[in-house]
Amino acid sequence: MIRTYTLLSLAALALFSSGCGSQSGQSALKQGMAAFREKNYVGAITHLTRASKRITNSPELYYNLGLAHLYRGDMEPAQSAFNEALALAPKHVEAIACLGQIAYFQHNYAQAQALFERAFAAAQGDELRARILTALALTESGRDRHDLARLHLLRALKLCGHYAPAYYNLASLYRDKFGLREEALDNFELYVRLADKEDPHYGSAVNNIKRLRSNLERIRGEELDGVKRDPSAAAKLLQEGMHLQLAKQYAKATKAYRDALAADPLTFSAAYGLALSHKALGQRAEAVEAFRRAAEISPSHQESYYQAAEQALLLKHTAEAAKLLDRAIARSPFNPANAELMARIRYAEARLPEARLYGEFYLSLLPPGDKNRGPYEKWVRSLPVK
């Protein structure tokens, strides 16, 4: 399991005296909220329970009572209080989300998912919706559906780019489930820039940054040890390969590019040119390996990952294609082309609900007047939701 960030930021909702209920009920309400603010949850429960006997029409009162029980770890009375709040206000987003949180803590992930989806549908405001999407991501991760967990976190960050917990969870997901250490490091660093230093997860993120950075530097050093390089010879062979490629003499170009890489294994342009030449010759398996090598030499080059994944899909190597695209998505999460290709991969794997979700994400990234929107949206809507 990934090390999860707190599901939802739980906060009491303000309650104001409205003349409803007896004077003793209002007094108990004030005492209960004062105790809650002081984190005296036993006292809050005592006073809010007394107030609920007199004030019977306040969903916020029941929500706060449920929250006090939840902070105490008393799940059953918390659940009962949240249900009372929903009886009075069926679209009480916070109460629905808290019921989802209880279901998550009880490992009832299907119920948690249904409740979080219900809360999301009723929620207003980008940050609140981002919080609920993050909770949905953790629920999917609990079900070992890490692909969907990633997608929910990306949706959260698209809604609210400064929502720090989503970065923390995305970093943990990349580190623990996708094996993407560089991308995990990037997201931990983003979290640290946004989070308050008093946040309980701040220290963990800082330690992760130090550990990941140290490991990556060590690995890079080991990879470079013993590598023989002749940049001058590689440059001449690279120029030869480029001229042959422009002349569409792709078979000869591949030899020149291979020779350039033999002279200097870190010549990115030779690896990329080799990949494009194999692609032009219809040699897809060779193209995949060459694009992969180009990406290893220059991890920031997005197109290498995308091209490798697309060629692997054409070979019907869907698992390999998805793994290659994982890194492309991690490095460029809001590139529409990546979402569209992952939708195709999931469709080829007959994972149709996931294909739909990636298709919807692709549509959310397109400009409003894009000419491809209409036909693509029709295809997406034809796919099953579950």
Side-chain angles (χ1 to χ4, degrees):
M1 287 290 293
I2 64 172
R3 295 188 180 96
T4 57
Y5 198 98
T6 303
L7 275 173
L8 296 167
S9 300
L10 302 177
L13 295 180
L15 280 164
F16 301 97
S17 299
S18 59
C20 299
S22 68
Q23 186 175 355
S24 63
Q26 293 294 340
S27 176
L29 173 60
K30 291 177 182 178
Q31 289 176 302
M33 294 310 298
F36 193 104
R37 286 190 292 272
E38 294 171 0
K39 299 184 179 181
N40 176 7
Y41 300 121
V42 173
I45 290 166
T46 299
H47 293 301
L48 291 176
T49 300
R50 186 180 302 130
S52 71
K53 306 298 182 185
R54 302 287 186 270
I55 304 170
T56 58
N57 62 345
S58 172
E60 285 75 19
L61 190 159
Y62 285 108
Y63 168 75
N64 289 329
L65 176 58
L67 209 53
H69 280 299
L70 192 56
Y71 274 121
R72 288 269 301 158
D74 300 328
M75 299 300 175
E76 287 189 19
Q79 198 168 29
S80 177
F82 292 136
N83 281 323
E84 290 287 353
L86 288 177
L88 294 169
K91 292 186 178 181
H92 195 291
V93 174
E94 291 83 357
I96 298 168
C98 283
L99 286 172
Q101 185 150 328
I102 290 170
Y104 175 87
F105 288 149
Q106 295 172 337
H107 304 290
N108 188 345
Y109 298 125
Q111 184 180 0
Q113 180 184 355
L115 287 162
F116 287 138
E117 287 175 349
R118 180 180 164 193
F120 183 78
Q124 295 184 354
D126 290 345
E127 185 164 341
L128 176 57
R129 289 163 69 85
R131 282 166 47 197
I132 296 169
L133 283 169
T134 301
L136 268 168
L138 297 179
T139 302
E140 293 291 11
S141 188
R143 303 173 81 177
D144 292 327
R145 297 183 347 182
H146 308 298
D147 193 32
L148 294 180
R150 170 182 59 188
L151 191 52
H152 287 313
L153 290 169
L154 295 182
R155 290 174 63 202
L157 290 172
K158 184 175 182 296
L159 279 172
C160 188
H162 62 267
Y163 186 59
Y167 288 108
Y168 184 95
N169 282 288
L170 194 57
S172 299
L173 191 68
Y174 284 153
R175 179 197 61 202
D176 296 341
K177 300 302 177 182
F178 287 87
L180 300 173
R181 286 172 291 190
E182 289 183 49
E183 293 74 14
L185 174 61
D186 291 343
N187 282 277
F188 277 126
E189 289 178 335
L190 286 166
Y191 164 79
V192 164
R193 288 176 202 167
L194 293 167
D196 192 306
K197 289 185 178 180
E198 301 303 315
D199 188 287
H201 295 81
Y202 190 90
S204 171
V206 170
N207 288 335
N208 271 290
I209 289 169
K210 292 177 181 176
R211 186 163 53 250
L212 285 166
R213 191 175 288 155
S214 174
N215 287 340
L216 287 168
E217 288 173 357
R218 176 181 54 79
I219 290 167
R220 287 174 189 142
E222 290 172 353
E223 288 173 347
L224 291 174
D225 283 347
V227 174
K228 295 181 180 179
R229 302 183 64 185
D230 186 345
S232 178
K236 293 177 183 177
L237 290 161
L238 174 62
Q239 288 297 317
E240 181 184 343
M242 292 172 67
H243 287 308
L244 290 165
Q245 185 179 356
L246 287 171
K248 298 185 179 181
Q249 297 183 44
Y250 299 117
K252 291 181 179 179
T254 59
K255 183 181 185 309
Y257 285 135
R258 283 198 199 93
D259 291 343
L261 285 167
D264 184 355
L266 300 182
T267 308
F268 164 77
S269 296
Y272 193 67
L274 177 63
L276 291 175
S277 297
H278 280 307
K279 181 181 176 181
L281 290 167
Q283 297 169 342
R284 290 171 181 163
E286 293 82 356
V288 169
E289 290 310 310
F291 280 125
R292 193 200 305 274
R293 184 169 183 179
E296 289 170 354
I297 296 170
S298 180
S300 62
H301 193 255
Q302 307 298 318
E303 189 66 13
S304 294
Y305 298 110
Y306 179 88
Q307 290 281 355
E310 188 168 52
Q311 292 299 304
L313 177 60
L314 291 171
L315 288 166
K316 299 184 179 179
H317 298 169
T318 53
E320 181 183 14
K323 190 168 183 179
L324 287 161
L325 195 59
D326 282 340
R327 194 175 290 274
I329 290 172
R331 289 185 170 271
S332 186
F334 305 119
N335 182 345
N338 291 337
E340 187 276 332
L341 180 54
M342 188 61 88
R344 279 191 276 150
I345 292 169
R346 296 305 181 222
Y347 185 82
E349 293 174 322
R351 295 164 62 174
L352 302 186
E354 290 170 62
R356 178 176 178 133
L357 284 171
Y358 274 103
E360 289 172 345
F361 190 55
Y362 167 70
L363 288 168
S364 77
L365 299 172
L366 285 181
D370 191 280
K371 63 181 181 180
N372 295 321
R373 176 176 292 276
Y376 193 85
E377 191 168 9
K378 184 177 180 181
W379 174 73
V380 168
R381 288 180 177 176
S382 73
L383 300 173
V385 176
K386 293 185 182 295

